[in-house]
Amino acid sequence: MSGHPIYASTAGIARHYATLSEQLSAMTTAGLTHIELGWAAPQTGLIVPEGLREFSTHFLVHNYFPAPEKPFVLNLAAQEPMTLARSREFGLAAIRLCADLGAPFYSIHSGFLAEFDPASLGRELTYLEICDYERGYATFLDSLDVLLTEARQTGVRLLVEPNVVAPFNLIDGENQLLMLAEPREFLRLLREVNDHRLGVLLDLGHLKVTATTLGFGICEFIDAVAPAVGAFHLHDNDGTADQHQAVEATSWTLDVVRQRRFDGKPVVVEAKFENVEALAQHCVALKTLLNR
């Protein structure tokens, strides 16, 4: 069996640090040698990518990193021209950053069918006009084509993370806001794009909430995307909301990752912790649980 590299996400403890540089120093001092650069504190005093190379660390780059000074909602399905152009350019820059850092892939969230207030992400969404699904999907495909062209030129893979659909974001009992959340949607996407550089970042915490909300089977989704899975986000919840809890030693998520078809896939701990020491201890425990 090939071992799973275990990465710690900056998102799990970013709230404890004033700057990204301080956080990375604390994480590496705690013995974390594999770090996913996701949501993080401002970059004060740290130049990307040169400053990142000062840390003896294997990096991954996820979605909204590095966060721009003026916040916006990264959306590859956006219908507003400025948001769409900015989202595509952000993704292109992130892919180039991966190439600079030697990261094997860049992972990005699936598209949204409305313009959201950035402050509402992760809770009940505040939005404007809702876009027709097929129009949003076509825009998303065009965006993927732009990013995959850059991915081929740089040797970096592009992984798409399924959206999380919580009950409080349904409209009249239906998911009208968050595309690429169900098995049939990913089967269609992977069939129509048909590019080996496109893969799936399988967030098991997201999957539990969405499957509960929309009433499909977790195994159904996993089987649909299994051949394209490039990495996992690992955290848990009670099925009602994306709570980012640390997984227990008996968690169903570990049974998924241990499946032979996922041998060697990177696992990113995206749970939240009270301090960096707790995060580091969790990563060590996971390595033992997954690689025994």
Side-chain angles (χ1 to χ4, degrees), residues 178-196:
L178 303 159
M179 62 191 305
L180 290 164
E182 298 188 55
R184 58 178 175 80
E185 295 178 275
F186 265 91
L187 285 171
R188 178 187 179 187
L189 177 71
L190 295 169
R191 181 180 68 250
E192 293 182 354
V193 174
N194 192 27
D195 188 319
H196 74 280

Side-chain angles (χ1 to χ4, degrees), residues 224-261:
V225 302
V229 169
F232 291 93
H233 267 178
L234 198 62
H235 52 102
D236 211 345
N237 53 69
D238 65 5
T240 66
D242 192 19
Q243 297 156 336
H244 288 271
Q245 298 170 351
V247 301
E248 302 288 342
T250 56
S251 172
W252 66 277
T253 62
L254 301 184
D255 293 332
V256 174
V257 178
R258 288 191 191 106
Q259 294 178 22
R260 186 171 298 278
R261 57 185 170 176

Side-chain angles (χ1 to χ4, degrees), residues 74-101:
L74 180 61
N75 181 11
L76 294 181
Q79 299 303 300
E80 200 284 312
M82 289 288 290
T83 301
L84 181 60
R86 193 176 181 190
S87 296
R88 288 175 175 175
E89 185 50 48
F90 191 97
L92 290 171
I95 290 171
R96 296 180 194 119
L97 175 60
C98 287
D100 285 338
L101 296 174

